[in-house]
Amino acid sequence: MTANSLSDELNAFYSYLQSERRYSSHTVSAYRRDIKHLITSLRYDEQQAIDWDSIKQQQIRQCVATLHRQGLSGKSLQRWLSSIRSLFNYLCRHQIAKHNPAVGIPAPKAAKRLPKTLNVDEISQLLNEPAQKSSASTAKKHKSGDVLLVRDLSMMELTYGCGLRLSELSGMNINDIDWQQQCVRVTGKGQKQRRIPFGSKARQMLEKWLKTRVQLADEKEPALFVSNRGGRISNGSIQQRLKKLALTQGVNTNIYPHMLRHSFASHILESSKDLRAVQELLGHANLSTTQIYTHLDFQHLAGVYDNAHPRARKK
């Protein structure tokens, strides 16, 4: 019986990630890049068979050290090691390998960077509808842009109102909206679904968008948000439209969709102090992921203290 080539075994692993683990194509591509670096470093031929147990822990350590010297961050190295461990776990389960050489290898500690957020005033400036100009000359000029502006405001209002990931927003369909309960059904990482309530501002913009959406999309198109060509809007287009919206609204900050998610989490936690609720709303598998927002909350409290306490203020 002919042994499978290295390429065959890797493709089987990538298929497992996509079909059984239900990882997105973006995540699978990241695994491919990480494992490609290992194979290249060890100078293996992907068309030949490989003895996986010949790969030793010291070789994995050397790869980590090389990547670190090349400037890869601690967080990226942790992800790289996680990819290699996942590969060997798969190989061991299928009795292709007997041991996992990536187990027990630490990555350099990643510096904890707090997520950037917008304050409530900046959110209002970004999301409030601009005043309409009444002159006849500008009416024709803005007619085609009005539909896109309504769509953009609706997308960003929903992103901030529900704390959505970019892929969750672009992947949303019209039938994911429950108007009676005023919530949306979201498909997050690992195809896990959750329901998130949305507020009156988001409802107003969604209703306005759905009235104008018919100018762009066919009635059979399931996507909630569509491009000017009528198909589902891409992640890249959403990012570009948000930057354009920020410029139009006079918000002088480099804004990206995840900043709205961070702002949502920070503002909810600041008001409610309910970390578990924020975890559920964000769809985090582990509470430790959500806990970074407690540092943001403390920063806000520390700022209030410094500005308000008579013995803290500088003369």
Side-chain angles (χ1 to χ4, degrees):
M1 184 176 176
T2 306
N4 289 332
S5 68
L6 170 59
S7 178
D8 291 335
E9 289 172 342
L10 289 180
N11 286 332
F13 172 63
Y14 300 139
S15 295
Y16 156 77
L17 293 179
Q18 206 151 18
S19 60
E20 293 189 39
R21 296 300 299 272
R22 293 185 171 276
Y23 287 171
S24 68
S25 57
H26 176 76
T27 302
V28 174
S29 295
Y31 272 84
R32 284 181 181 273
R33 287 193 299 271
D34 292 340
I35 293 168
K36 180 71 174 177
H37 185 275
L38 174 67
I39 300 306
T40 303
S41 298
L42 299 180
R43 298 180 181 178
Y44 284 120
D45 184 347
E46 291 194 20
Q47 302 310 312
Q48 296 181 353
I50 178 178
D51 176 11
W52 290 100
D53 288 322
S54 67
I55 300 177
K56 305 301 180 185
Q57 190 177 76
Q58 183 57 32
Q59 292 172 293
I60 305 295
R61 289 181 183 275
Q62 287 173 350
C63 284
V64 171
T66 301
L67 289 169
H68 190 44
R69 284 196 298 271
Q70 291 174 354
L72 214 63
S73 68
K75 187 174 183 179
S76 296
L77 286 170
Q78 288 170 4
R79 191 209 67 206
W80 185 85
L81 278 168
S82 176
S83 297
I84 305 306
R85 278 194 292 267
S86 295
L87 169 64
F88 276 94
N89 284 337
Y90 166 85
L91 295 171
C92 290
R93 275 199 307 275
H94 289 78
Q95 300 180 334
I96 301 171
K98 294 179 181 177
H99 73 283
N100 189 335
V103 170
I105 298 178
K109 287 186 177 180
K112 287 188 177 180
R113 291 193 303 173
L114 295 179
K116 294 180 180 179
T117 63
L118 298 171
N119 61 41
V120 176
D121 290 338
E122 289 171 324
I123 287 288
S124 297
Q125 184 178 348
L126 177 70
L127 299 181
N128 286 347
E129 291 186 80
Q132 295 293 324
K133 295 181 180 180
S134 58
S135 66
S137 60
T138 59
K140 185 176 180 181
K141 180 181 177 182
H142 290 292
K143 188 175 180 181
S144 61
D146 281 350
V147 177
L148 298 183
L149 178 60
V150 169
R151 180 202 62 189
D152 295 346
L153 286 169
S154 181
M155 287 194 302
M156 305 319 163
E157 190 72 63
L158 195 63
T159 301
Y160 171 68
C162 298
L164 301 178
R165 298 181 178 96
L166 178 57
S167 59
E168 293 171 348
L169 177 70
S170 62
M172 195 171 292
N173 293 325
I174 291 178
N175 61 10
D176 288 327
I177 304 175
D178 183 338
W179 293 103
Q180 187 174 1
Q181 298 294 324
Q182 198 161 305
C183 67
V184 290
R185 180 176 62 232
V186 173
T187 302
K189 289 185 176 180
Q191 298 299 302
K192 291 181 180 177
Q193 291 192 341
R194 67 188 191 280
R195 291 166 65 86
I196 311 173
F198 58 85
S200 58
K201 291 287 187 183
R203 184 182 183 112
Q204 289 169 14
M205 286 311 304
L206 279 172
E207 290 173 341
K208 193 169 183 177
W209 159 240
L210 289 176
K211 288 177 182 177
T212 56
R213 179 183 175 277
V214 293
Q215 299 179 41
L216 298 178
D218 185 88
E219 61 180 12
K220 294 181 180 179
E221 173 57 55
L224 175 58
F225 295 109
V226 297
S227 69
N228 54 5
R229 295 182 179 180
R232 187 182 299 276
I233 193 169
S234 68
N235 290 350
S237 293
I238 295 173
Q239 291 169 322
Q240 291 172 3
R241 295 300 299 186
L242 176 55
K243 290 184 183 297
K244 184 173 182 179
L245 179 65
L247 288 172
T248 302
Q249 301 285 66
V251 181
N252 299 318
T253 303
N254 180 28
I255 299 180
Y256 44 90
H258 222 69
M259 188 184 289
L260 299 182
R261 177 172 160 89
H262 290 322
S263 302
F264 162 87
S266 177
H267 297 165
I268 291 288
L269 184 61
E270 185 180 319
S271 298
S272 69
K273 310 301 180 187
D274 192 334
L275 193 62
R276 288 283 182 186
V278 175
Q279 179 193 4
E280 290 293 326
L281 291 168
L282 292 175
H284 285 161
N286 299 311
L287 189 63
S288 58
T289 310
T290 318
Q291 283 175 330
I292 191 167
Y293 296 107
T294 61
H295 296 290
L296 288 176
D297 192 32
F298 178 77
Q299 276 194 337
H300 171 75
L301 291 174
V304 171
Y305 175 87
D306 289 341
N307 291 326
H309 197 284
R311 304 292 283 184
R313 292 195 298 265
K314 292 181 180 179
K315 292 182 179 180

